Amino acid sequence: MSTLMPQKDLAELYGRITREITPQATGVQLHPDTADPAGEIYTVYITFEKGFHMAFSLCAERALFTRAAQFMMQTEEISQQDIEDVAKEYINVLCGHFASQLFQLTKIPARFSVPAFQAGRRTLEGHREDIVLTYSGDQGEHIQLTLHIPLGDAQDGCA
């Protein structure tokens, strides 16, 4: 990934997009933090299938996903399926904006997989964590976004 663009610049871009999109998409204001999500947490993840060798995971406390679902669906009554659907849509939106910005910078088109969702913290086998951004929501919920690079990938992050 380092020859695609410096890790610092990639982290800055990913963080900026996350901080700009999250309030619009979920109604949650994010602030940099150091505390990992704890308690009842879920992970949603997505892999780039074309254009870049990377994947994203988003691990957050249930409270953050619940607030996001209530905001997006405009109702207080939220099911477990609603939480899963909203988490998948949220990561789709983030990755779409990220892929768009990367295209503007690199002219490399990208396509990513259908998001997957699971209870607990997910580690992506065969990948290393390259960039980890940790935030807290305006009501104290914690979220961690991670950009993963395949292990042993000698390429520059491009397919």
Side-chain angles (χ1 to χ4, degrees), residues 3-79:
T3 60
L4 172 63
M5 75 190 294
Q7 184 183 31
K8 179 183 174 201
D9 294 345
L10 200 60
E12 185 177 303
L13 177 66
Y14 190 33
R16 180 179 51 78
I17 289 168
T18 299
R19 289 186 310 275
E20 287 174 2
I21 298 303
T22 300
Q24 296 169 15
T26 68
V28 177
Q29 294 288 332
L30 295 179
H31 309 283
D33 202 337
T34 57
D36 290 344
E40 189 174 359
I41 60 175
Y42 299 104
T43 303
V44 61
Y45 54 98
I46 201 164
T47 303
F48 278 80
E49 296 177 332
K50 177 184 174 195
F52 302 99
H53 292 279
M54 67 176 101
F56 291 98
S57 66
L58 189 154
C59 180
E61 295 169 356
R62 178 183 176 90
L64 187 132
F65 285 130
T66 299
R67 274 186 65 202
Q70 289 169 333
F71 179 84
M72 288 178 153
M73 300 176 77
Q74 296 295 297
T75 183
E76 293 294 313
E77 298 297 319
I78 299 298
S79 70

Coordinates of all heavy atoms in Angstrom, one line a residue, residues 3-79:
T3 N 3.3 2.3 -1.8 CA 3.6 3.0 -3.1 C 2.3 3.5 -3.7 O 2.4 4.4 -4.6 CB 4.3 2.0 -4.1 OG1 3.5 0.9 -4.3 CG2 5.7 1.6 -3.5
L4 N 1.2 3.1 -3.3 CA -0.1 3.6 -3.8 C -0.2 5.0 -3.3 O -0.5 6.0 -4.0 CB -1.3 2.8 -3.3 CG -2.7 3.3 -3.6 CD1 -2.9 3.4 -5.1 CD2 -3.7 2.5 -3.0
M5 N -0.1 5.2 -2.0 CA 0.0 6.5 -1.4 C 0.5 6.3 0.0 O 0.3 5.2 0.6 CB -1.4 7.2 -1.4 CG -2.4 6.8 -0.5 SD -4.1 7.6 -0.9 CE -3.9 9.3 -0.5
P6 N 1.2 7.2 0.6 CA 1.8 7.0 1.9 C 0.7 6.7 2.9 O -0.4 7.2 2.9 CB 2.4 8.4 2.2 CG 2.7 9.0 0.9 CD 1.6 8.5 0.0
Q7 N 1.1 5.8 3.9 CA 0.1 5.3 4.9 C -0.5 6.5 5.6 O -1.7 6.5 5.9 CB 0.8 4.4 5.8 CG -0.1 3.8 6.8 CD 0.5 2.9 7.8 OE1 1.7 3.1 8.2 NE2 -0.2 1.9 8.3
K8 N 0.3 7.5 6.0 CA -0.2 8.7 6.7 C -1.3 9.4 5.9 O -2.3 9.7 6.4 CB 0.9 9.6 7.0 CG 0.5 10.9 7.7 CD 1.6 11.8 7.9 CE 1.1 13.1 8.5 NZ 2.0 14.2 8.3
D9 N -1.1 9.5 4.6 CA -2.1 10.2 3.7 C -3.3 9.3 3.6 O -4.5 9.8 3.6 CB -1.5 10.5 2.3 CG -0.4 11.5 2.4 OD1 -0.3 12.2 3.4 OD2 0.3 11.6 1.4
L10 N -3.1 8.0 3.5 CA -4.3 7.1 3.4 C -5.1 7.1 4.6 O -6.3 7.1 4.6 CB -3.7 5.6 3.1 CG -4.7 4.6 2.5 CD1 -5.2 5.1 1.2 CD2 -4.0 3.3 2.4
A11 N -4.4 7.1 5.8 CA -5.1 7.2 7.1 C -5.9 8.5 7.2 O -7.0 8.5 7.7 CB -4.1 7.0 8.2
E12 N -5.3 9.6 6.8 CA -5.9 10.9 6.9 C -7.2 10.9 6.0 O -8.2 11.4 6.4 CB -5.0 12.0 6.4 CG -5.5 13.3 6.6 CD -4.5 14.4 6.2 OE1 -3.4 14.4 6.8 OE2 -4.8 15.2 5.3
L13 N -7.1 10.3 4.8 CA -8.2 10.3 3.9 C -9.3 9.4 4.4 O -10.5 9.8 4.5 CB -7.8 9.7 2.5 CG -8.9 9.5 1.5 CD1 -9.4 10.9 1.0 CD2 -8.3 8.8 0.2
Y14 N -9.0 8.2 4.9 CA -10.0 7.3 5.5 C -10.7 8.0 6.7 O -11.9 7.9 6.9 CB -9.3 6.0 5.9 CG -10.1 4.9 6.3 CD1 -11.4 4.7 5.7 CD2 -9.7 4.0 7.2 CE1 -12.2 3.6 6.1 CE2 -10.4 2.9 7.6 CZ -11.7 2.7 7.0 OH -12.4 1.6 7.4
G15 N -9.9 8.6 7.6 CA -10.4 9.3 8.7 C -11.3 10.4 8.4 O -12.4 10.6 9.0
R16 N -10.9 11.2 7.4 CA -11.7 12.4 7.0 C -13.1 11.9 6.4 O -14.1 12.5 6.8 CB -11.0 13.2 6.0 CG -11.8 14.5 5.5 CD -11.0 15.3 4.5 NE -10.5 14.6 3.4 CZ -11.2 14.2 2.3 NH1 -12.5 14.4 2.3 NH2 -10.6 13.5 1.3
I17 N -13.0 10.9 5.6 CA -14.3 10.4 5.0 C -15.2 9.9 6.1 O -16.4 10.2 6.1 CB -14.0 9.4 3.9 CG1 -13.4 10.0 2.7 CG2 -15.2 8.5 3.6 CD1 -12.7 9.1 1.7
T18 N -14.6 9.1 7.0 CA -15.4 8.6 8.1 C -16.1 9.6 8.9 O -17.3 9.6 9.3 CB -14.5 7.7 9.0 OG1 -14.0 6.6 8.2 CG2 -15.3 7.1 10.2
R19 N -15.3 10.7 9.3 CA -15.8 11.8 10.1 C -16.9 12.6 9.4 O -17.8 13.1 10.0 CB -14.7 12.6 10.7 CG -13.9 12.0 11.7 CD -12.8 12.9 12.3 NE -12.1 13.6 11.4 CZ -11.0 13.2 10.8 NH1 -10.5 12.0 11.0 NH2 -10.3 14.0 9.9
E20 N -16.7 12.7 8.1 CA -17.7 13.5 7.3 C -19.0 12.7 7.0 O -20.1 13.3 7.1 CB -17.1 13.9 5.9 CG -16.1 15.0 6.0 CD -15.4 15.3 4.7 OE1 -15.7 14.7 3.7 OE2 -14.5 16.1 4.7
I21 N -18.9 11.4 6.7 CA -20.0 10.6 6.3 C -20.8 10.1 7.5 O -22.1 10.1 7.4 CB -19.6 9.4 5.4 CG1 -18.9 10.0 4.1 CG2 -20.7 8.5 5.1 CD1 -19.7 10.9 3.3
T22 N -20.2 9.8 8.5 CA -20.9 9.2 9.7 C -22.0 10.0 10.2 O -23.1 9.5 10.4 CB -19.9 8.8 10.8 OG1 -19.0 7.8 10.2 CG2 -20.6 8.1 12.0
P23 N -21.9 11.3 10.5 CA -23.0 12.1 11.0 C -24.2 12.1 10.0 O -25.3 12.1 10.4 CB -22.4 13.5 11.2 CG -21.0 13.3 11.3 CD -20.6 12.1 10.5
Q24 N -23.8 12.3 8.7 CA -24.9 12.3 7.7 C -25.6 11.0 7.6 O -26.9 11.0 7.4 CB -24.3 12.6 6.3 CG -23.6 14.0 6.2 CD -22.8 14.1 4.9 OE1 -22.9 13.3 4.0 NE2 -21.9 15.1 4.9
A25 N -24.9 9.9 7.6 CA -25.5 8.6 7.4 C -26.1 8.0 8.6 O -27.2 7.3 8.5 CB -24.5 7.6 6.9
T26 N -25.6 8.3 9.8 CA -26.0 7.6 11.0 C -26.5 8.6 12.1 O -27.1 8.1 13.1 CB -24.9 6.8 11.6 OG1 -23.8 7.7 12.1 CG2 -24.3 5.8 10.6
G27 N -26.2 9.9 12.0 CA -26.6 10.8 13.0 C -25.7 10.8 14.2 O -25.9 11.5 15.2
V28 N -24.5 10.1 14.1 CA -23.6 10.0 15.2 C -22.3 10.8 14.9 O -21.8 10.7 13.8 CB -23.1 8.5 15.4 CG1 -22.0 8.4 16.5 CG2 -24.3 7.6 15.8
Q29 N -22.0 11.8 15.8 CA -20.8 12.6 15.7 C -19.6 11.8 16.2 O -19.7 11.3 17.4 CB -20.9 13.9 16.4 CG -22.0 14.8 15.9 CD -21.6 15.4 14.5 OE1 -20.4 15.6 14.3 NE2 -22.5 15.8 13.7
L30 N -18.5 11.6 15.5 CA -17.4 10.9 16.0 C -16.3 11.8 16.4 O -16.0 12.9 15.8 CB -16.9 10.0 14.9 CG -17.8 8.9 14.4 CD1 -17.1 8.1 13.3 CD2 -18.2 8.0 15.5
H31 N -15.6 11.4 17.5 CA -14.4 12.1 18.0 C -13.3 11.1 18.2 O -13.5 10.0 18.7 CB -14.8 12.7 19.3 CG -16.0 13.5 19.3 ND1 -16.1 14.8 18.7 CD2 -17.3 13.3 19.7 CE1 -17.3 15.2 18.8 NE2 -18.1 14.3 19.4
P32 N -12.0 11.5 17.8 CA -10.9 10.6 18.0 C -10.9 10.1 19.5 O -11.1 10.8 20.4 CB -9.7 11.4 17.7 CG -10.2 12.5 16.7 CD -11.6 12.7 17.2
D33 N -10.5 8.8 19.7 CA -10.5 8.2 21.0 C -9.4 7.1 20.9 O -8.9 6.8 19.9 CB -11.8 7.6 21.3 CG -12.0 7.5 22.8 OD1 -11.1 7.4 23.6 OD2 -13.2 7.4 23.3
T34 N -9.1 6.5 22.1 CA -8.2 5.4 22.2 C -8.8 4.2 22.7 O -8.2 3.1 22.7 CB -7.0 5.8 23.0 OG1 -7.5 6.2 24.4 CG2 -6.2 7.0 22.5
A35 N -10.0 4.3 23.2 CA -10.7 3.1 23.8 C -11.3 2.2 22.7 O -12.0 2.7 21.8 CB -11.8 3.5 24.8
D36 N -11.0 0.9 22.8 CA -11.6 -0.1 21.9 C -13.0 -0.3 22.2 O -13.4 -0.2 23.4 CB -10.8 -1.4 22.0 CG -9.4 -1.4 21.4 OD1 -9.1 -0.4 20.7 OD2 -8.6 -2.3 21.7
P37 N -13.8 -0.7 21.2 CA -15.2 -1.1 21.5 C -15.2 -2.2 22.5 O -14.3 -3.1 22.5 CB -15.7 -1.6 20.2 CG -14.9 -0.9 19.2 CD -13.5 -0.8 19.8
A38 N -16.2 -2.2 23.4 CA -16.2 -3.2 24.5 C -17.7 -3.7 24.7 O -18.6 -3.0 24.2 CB -15.6 -2.7 25.8
G39 N -17.9 -4.7 25.5 CA -19.2 -5.2 25.8 C -19.8 -5.9 24.6 O -19.1 -6.7 23.9
E40 N -21.0 -5.7 24.3 CA -21.7 -6.3 23.1 C -21.3 -5.6 21.8 O -21.7 -4.4 21.6 CB -23.2 -6.2 23.3 CG -23.9 -7.1 22.2 CD -25.4 -7.1 22.5 OE1 -25.9 -6.6 23.4 OE2 -26.1 -7.8 21.6
I41 N -20.4 -6.2 21.1 CA -19.9 -5.6 19.8 C -20.2 -6.4 18.6 O -20.4 -7.6 18.7 CB -18.4 -5.3 19.9 CG1 -17.6 -6.6 20.2 CG2 -18.1 -4.3 21.0 CD1 -16.1 -6.5 20.1
Y42 N -20.2 -5.8 17.5 CA -20.4 -6.4 16.2 C -19.3 -5.9 15.2 O -18.8 -4.8 15.4 CB -21.8 -6.1 15.6 CG -22.9 -6.5 16.5 CD1 -23.6 -5.6 17.3 CD2 -23.3 -7.8 16.5 CE1 -24.7 -6.0 18.1 CE2 -24.3 -8.2 17.3 CZ -25.0 -7.3 18.1 OH -26.1 -7.7 18.9
T43 N -19.0 -6.8 14.3 CA -18.1 -6.4 13.2 C -18.8 -6.5 11.9 O -19.4 -7.6 11.6 CB -16.8 -7.3 13.3 OG1 -16.2 -7.2 14.5 CG2 -15.8 -6.8 12.2
V44 N -18.6 -5.6 11.0 CA -19.0 -5.6 9.6 C -17.8 -5.4 8.8 O -16.9 -4.6 9.2 CB -20.1 -4.6 9.3 CG1 -19.7 -3.2 9.5 CG2 -20.7 -4.8 7.9
Y45 N -17.6 -6.2 7.7 CA -16.4 -6.1 7.0 C -16.7 -6.3 5.5 O -17.7 -6.9 5.1 CB -15.4 -7.1 7.5 CG -15.8 -8.6 7.5 CD1 -15.6 -9.4 6.5 CD2 -16.6 -9.0 8.6 CE1 -16.0 -10.8 6.6 CE2 -17.0 -10.3 8.7 CZ -16.7 -11.2 7.7 OH -17.2 -12.5 7.7
I46 N -15.7 -5.8 4.7 CA -15.9 -5.8 3.2 C -14.5 -5.9 2.6 O -13.5 -5.4 3.2 CB -16.6 -4.5 2.8 CG1 -17.2 -4.5 1.5 CG2 -15.7 -3.3 3.0 CD1 -18.2 -3.4 1.2
T47 N -14.4 -6.5 1.5 CA -13.1 -6.7 0.8 C -13.2 -6.1 -0.6 O -14.2 -6.3 -1.3 CB -12.8 -8.2 0.7 OG1 -12.8 -8.8 2.0 CG2 -11.5 -8.5 0.0
F48 N -12.1 -5.5 -1.0 CA -12.0 -5.0 -2.4 C -11.7 -6.2 -3.2 O -10.8 -6.9 -3.0 CB -10.9 -3.9 -2.5 CG -11.4 -2.5 -2.1 CD1 -11.5 -2.2 -0.8 CD2 -11.8 -1.6 -3.1 CE1 -11.9 -0.9 -0.4 CE2 -12.3 -0.4 -2.7 CZ -12.4 0.0 -1.4
E49 N -12.5 -6.4 -4.3 CA -12.4 -7.5 -5.2 C -11.6 -7.1 -6.5 O -11.1 -7.9 -7.2 CB -13.7 -8.0 -5.6 CG -14.5 -8.6 -4.4 CD -15.9 -9.1 -4.8 OE1 -16.5 -8.5 -5.7 OE2 -16.4 -10.0 -4.1
K50 N -11.6 -5.8 -6.7 CA -10.9 -5.3 -7.9 C -10.3 -3.9 -7.6 O -11.0 -3.1 -6.9 CB -12.0 -5.1 -9.1 CG -11.4 -4.6 -10.3 CD -12.5 -4.4 -11.4 CE -11.9 -3.6 -12.6 NZ -12.9 -3.1 -13.5
G51 N -9.1 -3.7 -8.1 CA -8.5 -2.4 -8.0 C -7.5 -2.3 -6.9 O -6.4 -1.7 -7.1
F52 N -7.8 -2.8 -5.7 CA -6.9 -2.7 -4.6 C -6.9 -4.0 -3.8 O -7.9 -4.7 -3.7 CB -7.4 -1.5 -3.6 CG -7.4 -0.2 -4.3 CD1 -8.6 0.3 -4.8 CD2 -6.3 0.5 -4.6 CE1 -8.7 1.5 -5.5 CE2 -6.3 1.8 -5.2 CZ -7.6 2.3 -5.7
H53 N -5.7 -4.3 -3.2 CA -5.6 -5.4 -2.3 C -5.8 -4.9 -0.9 O -4.8 -4.5 -0.2 CB -4.2 -6.1 -2.4 CG -4.0 -6.7 -3.8 ND1 -4.5 -8.0 -4.1 CD2 -3.4 -6.3 -4.9 CE1 -4.1 -8.3 -5.3 NE2 -3.5 -7.2 -5.8
M54 N -7.0 -4.8 -0.4 CA -7.3 -4.4 0.9 C -8.7 -4.8 1.3 O -9.5 -5.2 0.5 CB -7.1 -2.9 1.1 CG -8.1 -2.0 0.3 SD -7.9 -0.2 0.7 CE -7.0 0.2 -0.8
A55 N -8.9 -4.7 2.6 CA -10.2 -5.0 3.2 C -10.5 -4.0 4.3 O -9.5 -3.4 4.8 CB -10.3 -6.4 3.7
F56 N -11.7 -3.8 4.7 CA -12.1 -2.9 5.8 C -12.9 -3.7 6.8 O -13.8 -4.5 6.4 CB -12.9 -1.8 5.3 CG -12.2 -0.8 4.4 CD1 -12.3 -0.8 3.1 CD2 -11.4 0.2 5.0 CE1 -11.6 0.1 2.3 CE2 -10.7 1.1 4.2 CZ -10.8 1.0 2.9
S57 N -12.7 -3.4 8.0 CA -13.6 -3.9 9.0 C -14.0 -2.8 9.9 O -13.2 -1.8 10.1 CB -13.0 -5.1 9.9 OG -11.9 -4.6 10.6
L58 N -15.2 -2.8 10.4 CA -15.7 -1.8 11.3 C -16.3 -2.5 12.5 O -17.2 -3.3 12.4 CB -16.8 -1.1 10.5 CG -17.4 0.2 11.1 CD1 -17.9 1.0 10.0 CD2 -18.5 -0.1 12.1
C59 N -15.7 -2.3 13.6 CA -16.1 -3.0 14.9 C -16.7 -1.9 15.8 O -16.1 -0.9 16.0 CB -14.9 -3.7 15.5 SG -15.3 -4.5 17.1
A60 N -17.9 -2.1 16.3 CA -18.6 -1.1 17.1 C -19.5 -1.7 18.1 O -19.9 -2.9 18.0 CB -19.4 -0.1 16.2
E61 N -19.7 -1.0 19.2 CA -20.6 -1.4 20.2 C -22.1 -1.4 19.7 O -22.4 -0.6 18.8 CB -20.5 -0.5 21.4 CG -19.1 -0.6 22.0 CD -18.8 0.5 23.1 OE1 -19.7 1.4 23.3 OE2 -17.7 0.4 23.6
R62 N -22.9 -2.3 20.2 CA -24.3 -2.4 19.8 C -25.0 -1.0 19.9 O -25.8 -0.7 19.0 CB -25.0 -3.4 20.6 CG -26.5 -3.5 20.3 CD -27.2 -4.5 21.2 NE -28.6 -4.6 20.9 CZ -29.2 -5.4 20.0 NH1 -28.4 -6.2 19.4 NH2 -30.5 -5.3 19.8
A63 N -24.7 -0.2 20.9 CA -25.3 1.1 21.1 C -25.1 2.0 19.9 O -26.1 2.7 19.4 CB -24.8 1.8 22.3
L64 N -24.0 2.0 19.3 CA -23.7 2.8 18.1 C -24.5 2.3 16.9 O -25.2 3.1 16.2 CB -22.2 2.8 17.7 CG -21.9 3.8 16.6 CD1 -20.7 4.6 17.0 CD2 -21.7 3.1 15.3
F65 N -24.5 1.0 16.7 CA -25.3 0.4 15.6 C -26.8 0.7 15.8 O -27.6 0.9 14.9 CB -25.0 -1.0 15.3 CG -23.7 -1.3 14.7 CD1 -22.8 -2.2 15.2 CD2 -23.3 -0.6 13.5 CE1 -21.6 -2.5 14.6 CE2 -22.1 -0.9 12.9 CZ -21.2 -1.8 13.4
T66 N -27.2 0.6 17.0 CA -28.7 0.8 17.3 C -29.0 2.3 17.0 O -30.1 2.5 16.4 CB -29.0 0.5 18.8 OG1 -28.7 -0.9 19.0 CG2 -30.4 0.8 19.2
R67 N -28.2 3.2 17.5 CA -28.5 4.6 17.2 C -28.5 4.9 15.6 O -29.3 5.6 15.1 CB -27.4 5.5 17.8 CG -27.7 5.9 19.2 CD -26.7 6.9 19.7 NE -26.8 8.1 19.0 CZ -25.8 9.0 19.0 NH1 -24.6 8.8 19.6 NH2 -25.9 10.2 18.3
A68 N -27.5 4.2 15.0 CA -27.5 4.4 13.5 C -28.8 3.9 12.9 O -29.3 4.5 12.0 CB -26.3 3.7 12.9
A69 N -29.2 2.7 13.3 CA -30.4 2.1 12.7 C -31.7 3.0 13.0 O -32.5 3.2 12.2 CB -30.6 0.7 13.3
Q70 N -31.8 3.5 14.2 CA -32.9 4.4 14.6 C -32.9 5.6 13.7 O -33.9 6.1 13.3 CB -32.8 4.7 16.1 CG -33.1 3.6 17.0 CD -32.8 3.8 18.4 OE1 -32.0 4.6 18.8 NE2 -33.6 3.1 19.3
F71 N -31.7 6.2 13.5 CA -31.6 7.4 12.7 C -32.0 7.1 11.2 O -32.8 7.8 10.6 CB -30.1 7.9 12.7 CG -29.9 9.1 11.9 CD1 -30.2 10.4 12.4 CD2 -29.3 9.0 10.6 CE1 -30.0 11.5 11.6 CE2 -29.1 10.2 9.9 CZ -29.4 11.4 10.4
M72 N -31.4 6.0 10.7 CA -31.6 5.7 9.3 C -33.1 5.3 9.0 O -33.6 5.6 8.0 CB -30.7 4.6 8.8 CG -29.3 5.0 8.6 SD -28.3 3.6 8.1 CE -26.9 4.4 7.3
M73 N -33.7 4.6 9.9 CA -35.0 4.0 9.8 C -36.1 4.9 10.3 O -37.3 4.7 10.2 CB -35.1 2.6 10.3 CG -34.1 1.7 9.7 SD -34.1 0.1 10.4 CE -35.6 -0.6 9.7
Q74 N -35.7 6.0 11.1 CA -36.6 6.9 11.7 C -37.6 6.3 12.6 O -38.8 6.6 12.5 CB -37.3 7.8 10.6 CG -36.3 8.6 9.8 CD -35.7 9.7 10.6 OE1 -36.4 10.6 11.1 NE2 -34.4 9.6 10.8
T75 N -37.1 5.3 13.4 CA -38.0 4.7 14.4 C -37.2 4.2 15.6 O -36.0 4.0 15.4 CB -38.7 3.5 13.8 OG1 -39.6 2.9 14.7 CG2 -37.8 2.4 13.3
E76 N -37.8 4.2 16.7 CA -37.1 3.7 17.9 C -37.1 2.1 18.0 O -36.3 1.6 18.6 CB -37.8 4.2 19.2 CG -37.7 5.7 19.3 CD -36.3 6.2 19.6 OE1 -35.6 5.6 20.5 OE2 -35.8 7.1 19.0
E77 N -38.1 1.5 17.3 CA -38.2 0.0 17.4 C -37.2 -0.6 16.4 O -37.5 -0.5 15.1 CB -39.6 -0.4 17.0 CG -40.7 0.1 18.1 CD -40.4 -0.5 19.4 OE1 -40.1 -1.7 19.6 OE2 -40.6 0.3 20.4
I78 N -36.2 -1.2 16.9 CA -35.1 -1.7 16.0 C -34.9 -3.2 16.3 O -34.7 -3.6 17.5 CB -33.8 -1.0 16.2 CG1 -34.0 0.5 15.9 CG2 -32.6 -1.6 15.5 CD1 -34.3 0.8 14.5
S79 N -34.9 -4.0 15.3 CA -34.6 -5.5 15.5 C -33.1 -5.8 15.2 O -32.4 -4.9 14.7 CB -35.5 -6.3 14.5 OG -35.0 -6.1 13.1

